[in-house]
Amino acid sequence: MSIESILGITGSIIAIGGVVYSGYKCLKAKSVNQLMKQLADRRTSVKEQKKILHKINIMLAVNKVHISEKYISNFNTNNFNAGRCTQSAIFHDICLQNNIEPTYELCVKMLGYDDKVFRKQWTNDYAKSVTEKTTMKPKNVATQAESTDNNKTTLCNSKHVVYMSELLREKFPNACNNLTAILDKHGITYRFLKGTRDIWCRDYMPVQTVSGKLIQFRYEPSYLKGVKEYEESRSDVQEVCEANNIKPIISNINLDGGNVLICGGRAIISKRVFDENPEIGETELVDELSRLLEAEIITIPTINDDYTGHADGMVRFVDANTILGNNRNEEYKYWREGINQVLAEKGLQYIDFPFFSGYKDKTHKEHAIGLYVNYLEVANLIVMPKFGVSGNKDDEAITKMKEIFPNRIIEAIDFNDVALEGGVLNCATWTIRE
């Protein structure tokens, strides 16, 4: 065999080895979705953020997607509104600022799920606005991750308002003052709703979608039927909206707002919604909810002895791919198995969060003492309850909350007067973006 042949074979072997090694490195490398999660982590330094974006840019080349060098060099998650630097917000910003169409394949690659709402908005509105950006010099440079649809802020730069029933201030002044003191401390706007008949405004007020629309569902929960006192306490949603100059989109679906959690193009609703709407087929109901809420609907099992069946008493979103919820090891086996099946089907991560049951009060059998997941989340602030009745459980829950949300402001307040009535902070507030 000639020297030339030997050299040729050797070169081929080296080349093949290089390809194999490159493939091996790719297999070991983090996926784009994993890199996006790291990018959204506020603990990631600005320098590391730019390195991550360069890696993402290289990995997206196969999809013929290009993130500009200028965007990468100027990128800094501190430019996002505090507490709203989510993986979804960064993805939206990358697409908007670089004129990148959010295709199904790109959504799945970067987010881990199909952001149908954003894709639809891009088709209808964003493509046009991005084209205008390239031909017009902007008068003001807005924060990254901000975009508007008919002057409704859809991402990170909106004004948040917390509403409460006037009855909360009247009937539970101590709890109300504890909450408003925290909101004042952190500059959060709050208002009181006129014309209500009970304090649980989360349930009877409209649900706000990611695009800013307000969807008013029918408020006729089965747990308020059959007892005159309960039926008389049910707020008339039409009266409340008119009294407060709120003009929502009306739906005839019977659904409480406390049973709707929305984040990043996904919505969690407990299966109680099927019981409340027996005249509508489950598939038809889910499809209509998805259309109205502009989100993928994820239904989770209910807990049999929870008379409301609300999702906000079981779980909450951390981000579109992660939820926290009551510690599964302390829940009923049927519920634990049911939620685990949902997690597997939807690719969701679950963080077990402290809670306790068994607190006894002779005059308040249906109370919410021990339910930490029913916290208020608004802008960069989380206000959670502390109950003071179960050893060090409060400290455990507060510590866990700070671990899950290291870049949020965490406040804990005594809200027991309200909790004894059957709900906590999320139930007694209604938050919207204006």
Side-chain angles (χ1 to χ4, degrees), residues 3-222:
I3 294 176
E4 289 81 0
S5 298
I6 294 172
L7 290 174
I9 292 171
T10 303
S12 298
I13 293 171
I14 292 172
I16 293 170
V19 171
V20 171
Y21 179 67
S22 297
Y24 171 74
K25 287 183 69 177
C26 287
L27 286 173
K28 287 192 67 178
K30 291 183 176 179
S31 68
V32 175
N33 185 22
Q34 290 173 319
L35 289 172
M36 286 288 290
K37 289 180 180 178
Q38 188 178 350
L39 191 61
D41 189 334
R42 282 300 181 97
R43 292 170 294 185
T44 304
S45 68
V46 175
K47 184 178 180 180
E48 189 62 27
Q49 288 169 8
K50 299 182 192 307
K51 289 182 179 179
I52 292 170
L53 271 175
H54 274 295
K55 290 179 183 178
I56 291 173
N57 203 19
I58 293 171
M59 295 171 75
L60 292 179
V62 68
N63 297 82
K64 297 182 180 180
V65 171
H66 176 69
I67 303 173
S68 73
E69 287 297 324
K70 182 178 180 181
Y71 179 87
I72 295 174
S73 64
N74 291 332
F75 186 85
N76 185 337
T77 53
N78 291 325
N79 292 334
F80 288 74
N81 272 19
R84 293 292 168 182
C85 178
T86 63
Q87 186 177 347
S88 175
I90 293 174
F91 173 66
H92 293 179
D93 193 56
I94 288 173
C95 292
L96 290 168
Q97 301 298 328
N98 295 276
N99 196 15
I100 297 170
E101 180 182 359
T103 63
Y104 169 83
E105 292 76 13
L106 192 63
C107 288
V108 173
K109 194 165 191 175
M110 298 184 76
L111 296 175
Y113 63 92
D114 179 18
D115 192 341
K116 295 179 181 178
V117 175
F118 184 57
R119 288 201 293 115
K120 182 177 179 180
Q121 289 173 335
W122 173 274
T123 301
N124 295 340
D125 302 299
Y126 292 148
K128 179 180 177 181
S129 67
V130 171
T131 301
E132 290 174 351
K133 281 185 182 180
T134 63
T135 58
M136 297 173 61
K137 184 177 180 180
K139 294 180 180 179
N140 296 301
V141 178
T143 57
Q144 291 179 335
E146 176 187 357
S147 65
T148 59
D149 179 10
N150 297 326
N151 296 321
K152 294 176 181 176
T153 303
T154 59
L155 298 179
C156 297
N157 197 35
S158 52
K159 177 183 177 182
H160 296 78
V161 181
V162 177
Y163 283 87
M164 294 160 278
S165 166
E166 285 186 336
L167 294 175
L168 183 70
R169 180 168 52 184
E170 176 186 326
K171 294 184 176 181
F172 304 97
N174 290 336
C176 186
N177 290 337
N178 288 340
L179 177 54
T180 55
I182 293 297
L183 298 178
D184 284 331
K185 175 182 175 182
H186 297 288
I188 301 295
T189 301
Y190 59 88
R191 298 171 190 153
F192 290 92
L193 294 164
K194 303 173 184 178
T196 63
R197 299 179 191 172
D198 67 74
I199 65 172
W200 311 119
C201 53
R202 178 73 61 175
D203 294 336
Y204 51 77
M205 294 306 291
V207 175
Q208 189 171 43
T209 69
V210 69
S211 70
K213 295 176 183 176
L214 295 175
I215 311 299
Q216 180 64 70
F217 293 102
R218 181 160 54 93
Y219 181 58
E220 297 179 5
S222 57

Side-chain angles (χ1 to χ4, degrees), residues 239-421:
E239 289 181 2
V240 176
C241 286
E242 289 178 356
N244 296 277
N245 196 30
I246 295 167
K247 299 177 181 179
I249 297 168
I250 305 300
S251 168
N252 195 44
I253 292 174
N254 189 17
L255 176 62
D256 298 355
N259 196 22
V260 183
L261 307 169
I262 297 179
C263 179
R266 292 179 137 182
I268 290 177
I269 300 175
S270 88
K271 292 183 178 180
R272 177 63 62 86
V273 69
F274 300 136
D275 297 331
E276 300 284 4
N277 296 274
E279 72 282 2
I280 309 175
E282 292 188 4
T283 300
E284 180 185 352
L285 181 57
V286 167
D287 288 345
E288 177 63 5
L289 286 170
S290 180
R291 184 188 70 80
L292 288 169
L293 297 175
E294 305 169 352
E296 173 194 5
I297 305 300
I298 300 172
T299 58
I300 63 172
T302 54
I303 296 174
N304 293 341
D305 58 4
D306 177 2
Y307 72 103
T308 68
H310 291 171
D312 69 354
M314 296 180 278
V315 301
R316 298 292 293 274
F317 273 112
V318 176
D319 57 45
N321 296 310
T322 311
I323 59 177
L324 65 81
N326 296 331
N327 192 329
R328 288 167 292 179
N329 291 330
E330 298 180 39
E331 280 288 12
Y332 295 105
K333 181 181 178 182
Y334 69 84
W335 189 85
R336 180 169 63 249
E337 292 176 347
I339 196 69
N340 286 343
Q341 182 177 348
V342 173
L343 299 177
E345 290 175 353
K346 299 298 182 180
L348 287 167
Q349 300 296 315
Y350 190 101
I351 300 173
D352 290 293
F353 200 80
F355 84 106
F356 64 90
S357 58
Y359 179 76
K360 301 295 183 182
D361 187 285
K362 293 181 181 179
T363 58
H364 300 88
K365 294 183 179 180
E366 300 291 350
H367 62 75
I369 299 292
L371 196 62
Y372 294 104
V373 300
N374 197 259
Y375 53 82
L376 167 63
E377 182 178 16
V378 53
N380 191 36
L381 174 67
I382 290 176
V383 186
M384 60 183 294
K386 58 181 179 182
F387 301 109
V389 295
S390 183
N392 64 349
K393 213 67 174 180
D394 285 349
D395 292 338
E396 182 185 344
I398 294 169
T399 299
K400 188 69 174 180
M401 189 71 76
K402 290 179 178 179
E403 289 177 359
I404 297 169
F405 299 104
N407 301 298
R408 299 284 187 93
I409 299 167
I410 310 297
E411 296 276 10
I413 64 171
D414 181 347
F415 215 64
N416 281 13
D417 289 353
V418 175
L420 285 170
E421 300 298 321

